[in-house]
């Protein structure tokens, strides 16, 4: 590692961004964190994450919106990042049904501003968050980065696929190394309150019923936050190079003749939603009041990551089992919210 390289992390007050900034600062990087602190979920949680980050020696926060072209241009010009980690996005599948423009503003227009910043300031590597949602209507499992992903079932997924295409274009035209990461159902301490495991915990402890979609017949590849961060750290200073084996006659979506790569980061071990609920019941000592509902628009039955490419590139595969990860989340949850 080159000591004190400048790294810009967008979405720094978000779940993954918060953990990534902590790790980067611990490793000696000089970090600027950008976030707009929007109210998609509890703003106080974001502020509390940020308060923890602002105690770190090598961190400074900038409040700005990705869609603000001038603000992003100024940040690149003033800070001069060597590496950019773009984790800011409008998240959530169901929210995209009713609020589509928020996804275009952040995930398309905002990402365009990041790409332009990288183009004009000689950034060494752009690492950006994509999503397992891009697999959309695909039913062949496990999902592999070599699969076609042209059938999204939510606007959120479509914007994430758009980001991958935009990144490839900039890698091709301007030789910018870009790495896209398809995250699979990330969970853990300081997580997002809109995620199922978090919502279920809140409602079970208060005695409120939990909504269970598709009558509980769903499977998710739950991936603990520390596994996500470890995999990302191994990529930060390992920018992709053109793939000499790539061919336009049989194009592999995972790589390119440009310095471009895509990776899944998932446990590779999908688990039934009802099993996750049962695990929470056991750890909380509470029986959930279950409200079974039909599948919601934009949802998929199963997510399941093939992480072969990730392991080959980094030597790492996610390690932490769901029961252990939920223990860590619940310890944080009880402490943060002051509940027994």
């Amino acid at each position: 590692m080159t000591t004190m390289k400048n790294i810009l992390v967008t979405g720094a007050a978000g779940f993954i961004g918060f953990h990534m900034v902590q790790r980067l600062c611990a490793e000696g990087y000089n970090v600027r964190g950008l976030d707009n602190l929007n109210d998609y979920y509890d703003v106080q949680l974001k502020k509390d994450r940020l308060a923890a980050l602002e105690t770190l020696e090598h961190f400074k926060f900038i409040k700005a919106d990705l869609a603000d072209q001038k603000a992003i241009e100024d940040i690149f010009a003033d800070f001069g990042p060597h590496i950019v980690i773009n984790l800011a996005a409008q998240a959530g599948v169901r929210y995209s049904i009713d609020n589509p423009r928020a996804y275009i503003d952040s995930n398309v227009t905002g990402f365009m501003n990041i790409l332009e910043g990288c183009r004009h300031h000689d950034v060494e590597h752009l690492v950006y968050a994509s999503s397992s949602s891009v697999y959309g209507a695909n039913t062949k499992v496990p999902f592999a980065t070599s699969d076609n992903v042209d059938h999204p079932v939510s606007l959120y997924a479509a914007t994430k696929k758009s980001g991958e295409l935009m990144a490839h274009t900039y890698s091709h035209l301007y030789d910018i190394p870009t790495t896209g990461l398809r995250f699979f159902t990330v969970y853990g301490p300081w997580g997002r309150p809109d995620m199922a495991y978090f919502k279920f915990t809140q409602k079970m402890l208060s005695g409120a019923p939990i909504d269970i979609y598709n009558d509980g017949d769903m499977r998710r590849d739950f991936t603990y936050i520390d596994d996500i961060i470890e995999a990302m750290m191994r990529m930060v200073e390992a920018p992709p190079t053109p793939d000499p084996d790539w061919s336009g006659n049989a194009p592999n979506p995972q790589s390119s003749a440009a310095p471009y790569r895509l990776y899944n980061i998932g446990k590779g071990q999908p688990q039934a939603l009802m099993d996750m609920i049962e695990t929470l019941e056991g750890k909380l000592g509470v029986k959930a009041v279950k409200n079974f509902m039909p599948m919601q628009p934009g949802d998929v039955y199963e997510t399941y990551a093939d992480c072969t490419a990730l392991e080959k590139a980094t030597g790492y595969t996610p390690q932490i089992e769901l029961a252990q990860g939920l223990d860590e989340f619940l310890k944080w949850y009880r402490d943060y919210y002051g509940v027994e």
Side-chain angles (χ1 to χ4, degrees):
M1 185 189 80
T2 302
T3 303
M4 297 300 286
K5 271 195 176 181
N6 292 346
I7 299 187
L8 172 65
V9 178
T10 73
F15 174 32
I16 300 176
F18 165 75
H19 286 276
M20 192 64 186
V21 169
Q22 286 187 314
R23 179 68 182 274
L24 289 167
C25 288
E27 297 285 343
Y29 289 99
N30 186 31
V31 182
R32 293 290 181 277
L34 180 153
D35 206 292
N36 65 359
L37 300 176
N38 69 35
D39 61 359
Y40 169 64
Y41 63 79
D42 183 14
V43 176
Q44 189 58 51
L45 178 58
K46 297 180 181 182
K47 289 181 177 179
D48 289 342
R49 291 181 189 133
L50 186 57
L53 294 181
E54 289 183 320
T55 66
L56 301 176
E57 182 180 358
H58 302 302
F59 175 78
K60 290 186 180 178
F61 175 66
I62 304 165
K63 186 177 181 182
D65 195 297
L66 283 193
D68 185 338
Q69 180 181 343
K70 178 65 164 56
I72 300 304
E73 287 175 349
D74 288 347
I75 290 165
F76 273 86
D78 293 343
F79 182 51
H82 301 101
I83 297 165
V84 176
I85 301 175
N86 185 63
L87 299 171
Q90 180 56 61
V93 169
R94 295 186 190 103
Y95 189 76
S96 69
I97 305 294
D98 298 321
N99 301 276
R101 293 186 185 280
Y103 291 77
I104 301 302
D105 289 345
S106 179
N107 303 359
V108 179
T109 302
F111 191 48
M112 177 69 178
N113 290 336
I114 292 296
L115 287 166
E116 278 289 282
C118 292
R119 171 191 174 189
H120 292 294
H121 293 276
D122 297 322
V123 167
E124 298 171 8
H125 191 192
L126 168 63
V127 180
Y128 64 94
S130 184
S131 169
S132 60
S133 296
V134 300
Y135 291 103
N138 291 15
T139 56
K140 179 190 78 64
V141 291
F143 298 144
T145 47
S146 56
D147 295 339
N148 177 286
V149 289
D150 287 342
H151 297 87
V153 296
S154 68
L155 183 67
Y156 169 67
T159 62
K160 286 299 189 177
K161 170 63 175 174
S162 298
E164 293 177 357
L165 294 171
M166 292 162 65
H168 183 270
T169 303
Y170 272 65
S171 292
H172 171 74
L173 289 176
Y174 308 114
D175 205 34
I176 301 168
T178 66
T179 299
L181 306 176
R182 294 174 177 172
F183 298 135
F184 281 70
T185 316
V186 188
Y187 72 101
W190 294 97
R192 279 171 37 199
D194 62 315
M195 297 294 285
Y197 72 96
F198 203 125
K199 289 192 295 185
F200 291 170
T201 298
Q202 288 180 315
K203 291 186 175 184
M204 289 165 66
L205 287 173
S206 68
I210 61 174
D211 292 336
I212 303 174
Y213 298 112
N214 203 38
D215 296 321
D217 186 18
M218 301 178 81
R219 291 163 59 84
R220 290 291 179 266
D221 198 349
F222 296 102
T223 311
Y224 189 65
I225 183 64
D226 288 3
D227 280 326
I228 295 286
I229 299 304
E230 179 60 33
M232 291 177 66
M233 286 300 300
R234 295 183 182 215
M235 296 178 186
V236 166
E237 291 208 51
T241 56
D243 180 355
D245 297 323
W246 192 87
S247 169
N249 288 325
N252 178 1
Q254 193 262 335
S255 67
S256 176
Y260 168 91
R261 291 294 188 280
L262 293 172
Y263 297 103
N264 288 336
I265 305 183
K267 184 68 174 69
Q269 195 178 78
Q271 296 189 262
L273 182 64
M274 296 305 295
D275 288 346
M276 186 270 279
I277 293 169
E278 185 177 328
T279 301
L280 276 178
E281 288 177 324
K283 293 181 182 300
L284 293 172
V286 173
K287 194 71 175 175
V289 180
K290 302 177 181 72
N291 178 30
F292 291 100
M293 300 178 69
M295 183 76 93
Q296 300 295 289
D299 265 356
V300 297
Y301 161 66
E302 179 177 42
T303 63
Y304 180 3
D306 178 342
C307 293
T308 304
L310 174 71
E311 183 174 13
K312 183 178 179 181
T314 67
Y316 188 76
T317 54
Q319 304 293 313
I320 298 171
E321 300 295 337
L322 179 61
Q324 178 188 351
L326 287 176
D327 278 338
E328 294 303 315
F329 165 71
L330 292 174
K331 278 193 285 188
W332 168 82
Y333 184 94
R334 291 180 188 281
D335 180 67
Y336 182 78
Y337 289 103
V339 297
E340 294 298 324

